Every structure is written in C-alpha cells, then in structure tokens.
Amino acid sequence: MVSKKKTVLVLFLLLLLLLLSCVCSICVGAVMFHPLQLFTESAGSAAGRILRYSRLPRTCCSVLAGASLAVAGAVIQNVLANPLAAPNIIGVNSGAGFMAAVCCALFPFGGGWIPVFAFAGALMSVLIILGISEGCGASRMTLVLAGVAISSLFSGATDAVVTFVPDALSGYTDFRIGGFRGVTMARLQPAAVLIGIGLVLVFLLVHEMDLLALGTETAQSLGLRVRPVRLLLLFAAAMLAGAAVSFSGILGFVGLLVPHMVRKLTGNSALPLLLGCALGGAALVTICDTAARSLFSPFEIPVGIVLSLLGAPFFLWLLLGNKRRTRA
C-alpha cells in the first residue's frame, strides 16, 4: 500500500516533469529558442512562425497522444484483468489505423471525420478482445496472442486499402511508425474533443474501476453491474486510443510502459493511477519526440521508433516475468 503523501509527491513530480518536457519541446530543436519567445515573438517573424505553427502544435500533439494512450492502456488492463494488455498489443491501435485509412479513402477531404472512424476501429478491436476474454475464458497469454493476430489482420487490411487507394494515407510510412511531423492545430482539434470526452468519462468511473480490480464476483456482490461498466470503460478507452491514432499514427508501447511504471509508484487505486498515467504518458511521449527530432538534427526520426526501442525490451521482460510466475 502506497501512502497518500508519497502518491501526492509522485503526482507533483510527474506534473513538474511534464512542464519541463513541454518547455524543452518548444525550445529545443534545429533552431533554439528562449521560452519567453513564444509570447514575445510576432506571428509574422520567422521565429514566431516556427514557434506557433510547428513547435506549439507538435507539443500539444505529444501531450494529448501520450496522455490518452497511457490512460487507455490502464483502463484496458483493468477491464481485462491482464497486465500485458495495451492498445498496441491487443490490436486497438491497428483497428483505429485501419478505419482511419478507410476514412481517408472514402472521404479524401473529410479530415474532421478521421477521429470518429478511428474511434470506431478501436472500439471494434476492444469488443472482439472482450468477446474472446469472456466467451472463451482465455488465459492472459492466449489473450495477448489473440491480440497479436487481430493486430496483424487490421495491419494487413490497412495495407490493402493503401494499395488500392495509394493517396488514402499520405506519408503512410510515418503513420505506420507513428509521429507528429506536419500535424497542425486544425487537424488536432476534432481529436482533442474526443480525448476530452474520453478522459472525463474515465475519471467519472474511477470508483467502478476500483471495484472491478477486486474481481468480477466481488464487484457483483458489492452491487456493481459489471458488464455495462466494462463496456462503458472500453468505450472510453477506444475513444482515447482512436483519437490519438488519428493524428499521431500507430504509436506503440505507451499504453503498456506507462501504466506499469506508474502503478509501481502510486499503487493500484484508480484515481492516482489514471492521473499518473495522464501526466507520465504525456511527459514520456513529449520527451521522446523532442529527442527524436533533436538528437540527429537537422535529420528527424519518427517518435514511434524511439518508443519501440524503449517498449519492446520492456514487453519481453514482462512476458518472461509472467511466464516465471505461472510456473511458480
């Protein structure tokens, strides 16, 4: 059990880390800026244009994507009672990416609909996984393997869409890996609305999440309507993951890495866990994005590569740890 004082301290430090990462994201790059220049530079100057139309939108994108994917991961792990579950592991991100490609193919100039289609794809994926979990009584490892299969299925379907409609996703490679290059505030706004709704919905259900963590039978004995609550939480998680994928591409491992790290620091209580995931996920993606576009300046690598280099070894460590505990 983590003390309340330690939890508050952890959340404060995560908030401080997020603020520092945002400052670095705005100031660090091929062109260096002082933080105050964001407010003092005129919009017509070269520096002002870089700050307002490149650095600021990119920082907002990394914050929203990191927070939404990390919170979605924490919710999915809670609902499925599986610490190995995450939006990219069980095919949620791939489902969102597939429907985003379909939207671009059907409505080339309907960019505002991409978050809605991506949400539909993410929801389709989580409902399939929930059906496998409840209908087949699948083990944790089986659920992960099923998620990998679903992810491959949607990835193949996305490739097919792009093959038949080559212009469906301009910059498809960047979308597949995940990154924020070229994202504007106008493109971000529809997704930000969905992310806001999803976050509000999740935080309204923190008490129900705590009851679900006790197990299905215990939660039902305490008066919780388990199935509707699970569906509502997965609905919110799909909204968060789908909206993030619509502008960031298929970013991996944020929803796996961050909830595990935060849970070690704050415990299993839903409210501090979700707050920590929102702050920690936003900080992690912002730091990784700043590194991705700064370390090899003037060349830039997609932030998804950095996240994969961090997340893949962590996932293998979790798999091996879970296997050892199963044998024990």
Side-chain angles (χ1 to χ4, degrees):
M1 177 67 100
V2 180
S3 67
K4 185 177 180 180
K5 184 179 294 186
K6 180 183 176 181
T7 299
V8 172
L9 177 61
V10 168
L11 293 176
F12 173 76
L13 291 176
L14 287 173
L15 176 60
L16 184 62
L17 178 63
L18 174 58
L19 293 175
L20 290 174
S21 67
C22 289
V23 171
C24 289
S25 177
I26 291 172
C27 298
V28 176
V31 180
M32 303 293 288
F33 295 102
H34 189 279
L36 292 179
Q37 285 183 263
L38 180 62
F39 307 100
T40 57
E41 286 286 345
S42 65
S45 67
R49 288 194 297 271
I50 293 173
L51 285 167
R52 287 171 176 79
Y53 302 115
S54 177
R55 297 282 176 86
L56 185 59
R58 189 154 182 163
T59 301
C60 292
C61 286
S62 61
V63 168
L64 286 176
S68 56
L69 289 172
V71 171
V75 171
I76 290 171
Q77 289 170 14
N78 175 278
V79 172
L80 299 180
N82 189 339
L84 298 176
N88 67 302
I89 301 297
I90 64 172
V92 176
N93 287 359
S94 296
F98 165 65
M99 289 303 292
V102 169
C103 180
C104 291
L106 296 178
F107 309 106
F109 303 104
W113 287 99
I114 293 178
V116 177
F117 273 71
F119 158 62
L123 183 61
M124 181 168 50
S125 298
V126 296
L127 290 179
I128 292 172
I129 289 294
L130 181 63
I132 294 173
S133 175
E134 293 187 345
C136 304
S139 66
R140 290 178 177 179
M141 197 61 65
T142 302
L143 202 63
V144 170
L145 293 175
V148 171
I150 292 169
S151 181
S152 297
L153 177 64
F154 280 123
S155 295
T158 304
D159 289 338
V161 171
V162 175
T163 299
F164 287 113
V165 188
D167 296 330
L169 282 175
S170 56
Y172 176 62
T173 301
D174 287 346
F175 182 86
R176 188 71 174 269
I177 298 172
F180 308 115
R181 184 163 53 187
V183 177
T184 63
M185 284 295 195
R187 183 179 169 189
L188 180 62
Q189 285 173 358
V193 173
L194 285 182
I195 290 172
I197 295 171
L199 288 175
V200 169
L201 186 56
V202 167
F203 279 100
L204 287 175
L205 294 171
V206 290
H207 176 65
E208 287 77 4
M209 285 184 63
D210 284 329
L211 293 180
L212 279 179
L214 300 175
T216 300
E217 293 182 0
T218 303
Q220 287 176 336
S221 68
L222 294 172
L224 183 69
R225 299 175 62 190
V226 172
R227 187 169 179 78
V229 169
R230 278 180 171 168
L231 290 173
L232 194 56
L233 283 168
L234 288 177
F235 180 87
M239 187 179 296
L240 291 170
V245 168
S246 71
F247 64 83
S248 69
I250 305 174
L251 291 179
F253 296 107
V254 179
L256 179 71
L257 186 64
V258 176
H260 277 275
M261 295 172 61
V262 173
R263 195 175 283 111
K264 293 286 186 183
L265 298 172
T266 65
N268 292 317
S269 181
L271 181 58
L273 174 63
L274 293 174
L275 286 172
C277 284
L279 295 172
L284 174 67
V285 175
T286 303
I287 291 169
C288 289
D289 182 57
T290 303
R293 61 178 171 78
S294 302
L295 290 179
F296 304 100
S297 180
F299 301 102
E300 176 183 326
I301 60 175
V303 66
I305 293 177
V306 179
L307 290 169
S308 294
L309 291 174
L310 291 174
F314 183 78
F315 182 53
L316 289 174
W317 176 75
L318 285 178
L319 281 175
L320 294 174
N322 184 69
K323 189 173 183 180
R324 285 195 297 268
R325 285 191 295 271
T326 302
R327 286 179 175 177

